[in-house]
Amino acid sequence: MPQRTLLLVLFDGVQSLDVTGPLEVFAGAERHTPGTYRIRTASLDGGPVRASSGLTLVPDGALTEVSDPHTLLVPGGEGTRSPDPRLTEWLRACGPRARRLVSVCTGAVLLAAAGLLDGRRATTHWAHCDTLARDHPAVRVDPEPIYVRDGHVATSAGVTSGIDLALALVEEDLDRDVALTVARHLVVFLRRPGNQAQFSAQLAAQTARRAPLREVQRWISEHPAGDLTVDSLAARARLSPRHFARAFRDETGTTPGRYVDRVRLEHARRLLEDSTDGIEEISRASGYGTPEAMRRAFVRTLGTPPAEYRRRFHPAPAH
């Protein structure tokens, strides 16, 4: 198996977890299967950089000293707001020569500034998606997934999604067993598909200001198989259906129906991942009623039917 050179770009204001998260994944894979990855870090001049948290990172050398890597990984951080023009020029010149381009969080901003995302679908941290789309209209920004693959280019959302993406790349380079072993050592789950939303329904629930709406959201999460029609939920909040639907959308950024869909999907996903219950039982417990209704929801949102989802994301028993 050929060794892959992995180059992580360092710069002042980098988010340290954007660097160390994926780095630990690839280093773990190298420990498991020696000779798989040659990992290098580099800054513009080869000198230490100061991360946004104040942590000092010492690179292996300068970017100009590195030959064309197999995988070029660009992290994000506050330093992407006003990057050194030399870094953008280096990425513009050297990025196309990498076999695989990867960004974590606002590292996508640097790739876009270098013209490396033009015509491609990409994502970044949810708080920066609008800015990325406005400043780089040639990039098809998708704010929903935790990571996006478009050909040899892969972009991811916030810091933990960089770990998810790195695990997916290790699985692609080696196999699922190696990626699972690395995930177990890091005490993370190898379960999040790239098209999982950056925001779960539970995170969205935190945005509701009024207590009656927060209580409704809690009820939905705890009773996914219950009567979750707008009329029923409005009665629980002691509001008219019309007033409830408008208030819910204003405070959570989504409609009651879409929120219910997310809760039911997440509930079904957890049961597929963590239990041995049958598909029919899970469909009833999650409020779908029938396996076919659940299958349609999975295919529409995740692009895969429940049985295939379970096959990919149900952890194999440890030996």
Side-chain angles (χ1 to χ4, degrees), residues 82-224:
S82 300
D84 189 316
R86 294 178 300 160
L87 178 56
T88 304
E89 287 307 309
W90 184 89
L91 288 170
R92 190 187 310 277
C94 299
R97 298 202 295 267
R99 294 274 299 279
R100 189 162 62 192
L101 280 174
V102 179
S103 70
V104 181
C105 199
T106 52
V109 173
L110 297 180
L111 293 184
L116 299 173
L117 298 183
D118 287 357
R120 295 188 180 276
R121 179 170 166 258
T123 194
T124 186
H125 189 286
W126 61 268
H128 300 276
C129 283
D130 287 346
T131 302
L132 179 63
R134 183 195 66 216
D135 294 345
H136 302 280
V139 182
R140 292 181 284 118
V141 179
D142 189 342
E144 286 287 331
I146 59 173
Y147 62 82
V148 168
R149 304 286 302 276
D150 188 331
H152 73 291
V153 178
T155 53
S156 60
V159 289
T160 57
S161 64
I163 295 176
D164 291 301
L165 176 54
L167 287 167
L169 295 177
V170 166
E171 181 177 354
E172 176 183 292
D173 292 342
L174 300 173
D175 58 40
R176 180 169 173 77
D177 288 341
V178 176
L180 276 170
T181 299
V182 173
R184 289 192 184 108
H185 279 297
L186 296 177
V187 198
V188 297
F189 294 109
L190 185 66
R191 297 183 185 174
R192 296 208 297 175
N195 52 7
Q196 180 173 322
Q198 293 191 35
F199 275 127
S200 70
Q202 283 67 32
L203 284 176
Q206 298 176 22
T207 64
R209 296 188 301 272
R210 283 179 277 182
L213 294 181
R214 290 198 301 272
E215 171 61 24
V216 166
Q217 291 171 319
R218 183 191 65 79
W219 171 265
I220 294 171
S221 296
E222 294 178 358
H223 302 85

Side-chain angles (χ1 to χ4, degrees), residues 3-25:
Q3 187 180 55
R4 297 170 173 84
T5 301
L6 173 70
L7 175 62
L8 288 93
V9 177
L10 302 183
F11 50 87
D12 284 324
V14 71
Q15 162 62 257
S16 57
L17 284 176
D18 287 2
V19 177
T20 58
L23 177 62
E24 290 294 342
V25 171

Side-chain angles (χ1 to χ4, degrees), residues 3-7 38 40 63-72 90 93-100:
Q3 187 180 55
R4 297 170 173 84
T5 301
L6 173 70
L7 175 62
R38 180 174 181 264
R40 304 285 293 171
L63 288 172
T64 54
E65 300 169 353
V66 180
S67 58
D68 300 342
H70 175 278
T71 299
L72 175 61
W90 184 89
C94 299
R97 298 202 295 267
R99 294 274 299 279
R100 189 162 62 192

